[in-house]
Amino acid sequence: MKKIVFLCVLAFTFFSCDDGDLTIEEIDLTTTADVQVCLDPIPAGVTLLFQIDGAETLILQVPNDLLINEVTTVEENEDGEMVPVPRTATLNSDATCFYRSFESNITSNYFCDELPSDIPVALEYTAVSGTVEVLTTETLDDETMLPSAYNHEIQFTNVVFTGTNGQDVRYNVYSFGNITTTVE
């Protein structure tokens, strides 16, 4: 009987080991990584936004008309409340988003230098479906009461990321972050 129990414990030990595959159950750069662009303020036509946290990054490319210095509209919902209507783009069609885990830490130079970097990518997830939503509000100058800046709140809804490891990560709502553009 002792031999059978020992063989069962031994078999359980060998067959329950992880094979070492890297699996990400969530993508979370929202608490530590600011949204960045290569130029500040965002000039017309710049569509590449990114977040960096050490060796991890989230890259978003959106159409030019998504981040404009104009407050998003509001409309009345079924309860009679006025709610903002975000500007939207479809992921994997109008917009693209990638999560990348690199073999070493990266900086904004990875995105902003003319020559591409040769830092190897360890794992990549691509947004294969979902929507990018942008809500834009204005900041008024205290003296002139004219807009001095616009804050763009960016989030994804019903997004699915598929990884090079074959795994999916899904979010009903994922906050990409905020970026402020100034008025010249």
Side-chain angles (χ1 to χ4, degrees):
M1 182 67 171
K2 288 182 182 181
K3 289 181 183 181
I4 293 175
V5 172
F6 176 73
L7 287 174
C8 288
V9 170
L10 187 63
F12 177 76
T13 303
F14 283 117
F15 294 114
S16 67
C17 292
D18 186 14
D19 61 358
D21 288 345
L22 180 61
T23 301
I24 293 181
E25 295 178 8
E26 68 177 33
I27 295 169
D28 186 12
L29 301 177
T30 57
T31 57
T32 58
D34 293 328
V35 177
Q36 299 179 52
V37 296
C38 294
L39 301 172
D40 189 18
I42 297 176
V46 171
T47 60
L48 183 69
L49 306 170
F50 55 93
Q51 295 176 310
I52 299 172
D53 186 13
E56 296 178 89
T57 185
L58 194 58
I59 308 152
L60 176 62
Q61 186 172 357
V62 295
N64 295 342
D65 61 353
L66 208 59
L67 291 174
I68 57 174
N69 284 346
E70 187 177 298
V71 175
T72 48
T73 61
V74 293
E75 67 180 30
E76 190 174 336
N77 68 10
E78 60 273 355
D79 296 330
E81 299 173 12
M82 298 304 285
V83 294
V85 179
R87 286 185 289 279
T88 63
T90 304
L91 285 164
N92 201 26
S93 173
D94 302 325
T96 56
C97 185
F98 302 94
Y99 165 86
R100 288 187 183 148
S101 176
F102 293 88
E103 291 184 8
S104 61
N105 288 351
I106 63 167
T107 66
S108 61
N109 294 340
Y110 178 84
F111 300 101
C112 301
D113 285 351
E114 282 188 36
L115 297 174
S117 177
D118 60 351
I119 300 173
V121 175
L123 179 67
E124 180 174 274
Y125 279 79
T126 303
V128 294
S129 66
T131 304
V132 179
E133 296 183 348
V134 177
L135 290 174
T136 303
T137 56
E138 64 185 3
T139 302
L140 298 177
D141 182 276
D142 291 335
E143 293 178 22
T144 64
M145 296 307 291
L146 294 173
S148 61
Y150 289 86
N151 182 55
H152 309 279
E153 180 185 338
I154 305 165
Q155 71 177 17
F156 306 139
T157 57
N158 301 315
V159 64
V160 177
F161 290 93
T162 297
T164 53
N165 60 1
Q167 301 293 315
D168 286 348
V169 178
R170 301 170 186 270
Y171 294 96
N172 291 330
V173 176
Y174 181 89
S175 176
F176 181 77
N178 296 317
I179 189 157
T180 300
T181 56
T182 57
V183 176
E184 295 188 26

